[in-house]
Each structure stands twice: as C-alpha cells, then as structure tokens.
Amino acid sequence: MLKNTKNRALSRAITKRQKIAIAGVGTLGAAALALSAVPGNAQTTTAEAPAGKVAYSSEQIKDVKASVTDQLAGEKVKAEAMVAKHKAAVAAAKHRAAVAHDKHVAAQSAAKQRAAKAAAAKKAAAERKAQEAASRSAKRVAVKQVAAKTYANNLDGWIREALDIMKKHDIPGTYNGLHKNIMRESSGNPNAINNWDINAQNGVPSIGLLQVIKPTFDAYHVPGTAKSQYDPVANLTAAANYAADRYGSIDNVNSAY
C-alpha cells in the first residue's frame, strides 16, 4: 500500500517537460517510462508507467511537421511572388524605356525631316531668287540693247559717237574742238587724203577727217574702233588721243599738228 502511495506522488511530480519527453519516446515506439524527480536528499524511484496513459501521440508531431511544411511552402510562394513581381517591374521598366527610345527616335526622325524640308524650301527659294535675278538682268540687257544709243551717219553723228568713246577712255575734247579742226583739215570729208605735203613725199600721206598719218593712227588707235584711217570715228578718236598726249586736248589745236 505504501509503495502505491509513493508512486502516485511521484507521478504528480512529473513535470511538463518530462511528459513531453515521454511523449517523444512514445512517438518513436519505445516503451513508456515514468520519471520521478525528487530533491537531492530524497530517494529517487523509477517506475514503469502504463503506455495507455500517455497524453501525447505521433499525430501531434505530424501536425507540427505539416505546419512547418506549410509555412515553408508559404514562404516559398511569397519569395516566388516577389521574384515574379520584380521581373514584372523590370520588364515594365524595359518596356517604358523602349517606348521612350522609340518616341525619341521618331522625334529625331521627324525633326530631320522638317529640317530637310526647310533646307529644300530654302534652296528652292534661293534658286527662284537667282532665276528671277537672272531674268531681271537679262531683261535689263535686252532693254539696254533695245535702247542702245544710235548715231547719224554724218559729221554730227561721227563727232558725237567719237566724244562718247573718248569719254569712256578719259580722252579730253569737246564737240567744238573736234569740229573746228575737222573743218580746217578735211572740210568734213572722211576720204580726204593729202598727196603733196612732206608726209606724202615720205610715203605716209595724211588721211581722213583729221588728216592722220598711218604711224600716228596705229600708235594712238583707240580700242573698240575700226582699224582703218578712213573710218570717221576711228580717225577722230585716234587724232584726239594723239592731241591729248601732245597738246593736252584737241581743243588746244588751232593749226596743223
């Protein structure tokens, strides 16, 4: 009787930790053990506990394992979801970058096209302007040609034409200066020739309106006029050029020169 009383006391003294240990042993299929814990100065007795009275079973361990597995699975799902979210964000960023790049390229292409069109328009405008200027120039030339000054084929016309040529070449002289010398030298006859003076005797007779000998005519010939002493305008301009060189102007000549 005393022994059974002690066993019951020891059973009540079993701690929760010892029960868990006992449950673990039961899970592994080992024999159930009853442990007793007593103070250091007391007796310690180990008694066998009936296996049927253990409160914990292997089902509880299975539940714990299942819970841990579920947690791990949940964490894996979360990790996979985070990876998928990150990949989606990266893909979206790449897509936005690609769209922005395409827009930039399109904008550059449009700008180049606008610049090309502007350059083409500017070139076309410059070409039109050049053509218009050339057309105006051609018209002015045509007008000048139409309005070209004409001279009468007589003494008055010859003197006036000679004066215009003399003006272009800075050869001094006036209408009166030419006219008075013409009347003295040839009486206005462009074919007049002196066959009796010293020049004629030397083989170079004086010819034309102002009676010019050949060496003098050749030396003082004015460009743009005929190369003949008998040509009225060529004769007058050559003689005026010679007189300007020797006397300062045909106006200063009042006798044979």
Side-chain angles (χ1 to χ4, degrees), residues 31-44:
L33 297 178
L35 301 178
S36 61
V38 295
N41 57 359
Q43 294 181 347
T44 302

Side-chain angles (χ1 to χ4, degrees), residues 162-171:
L163 287 171
D164 286 341
I165 294 174
M166 290 163 58
K167 184 177 181 181
K168 290 179 182 178
H169 292 275
D170 296 322
I171 300 172

Side-chain angles (χ1 to χ4, degrees), residues 165-185:
I165 294 174
M166 290 163 58
K167 184 177 181 181
K168 290 179 182 178
H169 292 275
D170 296 322
I171 300 172
T174 63
Y175 187 100
N176 289 331
L178 288 173
H179 188 270
K180 70 177 182 179
N181 283 286
I182 290 170
M183 298 311 293
R184 185 186 65 250
E185 296 292 333

Side-chain angles (χ1 to χ4, degrees), residues 74-152:
E75 292 299 326
K76 183 179 180 182
V77 170
K78 290 181 180 178
E80 290 176 349
M82 290 177 65
V83 171
K85 185 177 181 180
H86 176 69
K87 288 182 178 179
V90 171
K94 288 182 178 179
H95 176 70
R96 289 193 298 271
V99 171
H101 178 265
D102 291 343
K103 288 183 178 180
H104 178 67
V105 171
Q108 284 186 327
S109 178
K112 287 181 179 179
Q113 290 179 354
R114 290 193 297 271
K117 288 181 179 179
K122 185 176 181 181
K123 183 179 179 181
E127 289 177 351
R128 286 195 300 271
K129 187 175 181 180
Q131 290 177 351
E132 291 172 356
S135 178
R136 289 193 297 270
S137 178
K139 288 179 180 179
R140 285 195 297 269
V141 171
V143 170
K144 286 182 179 179
Q145 290 177 345
V146 171
K149 192 173 182 178
T150 58
Y151 304 93

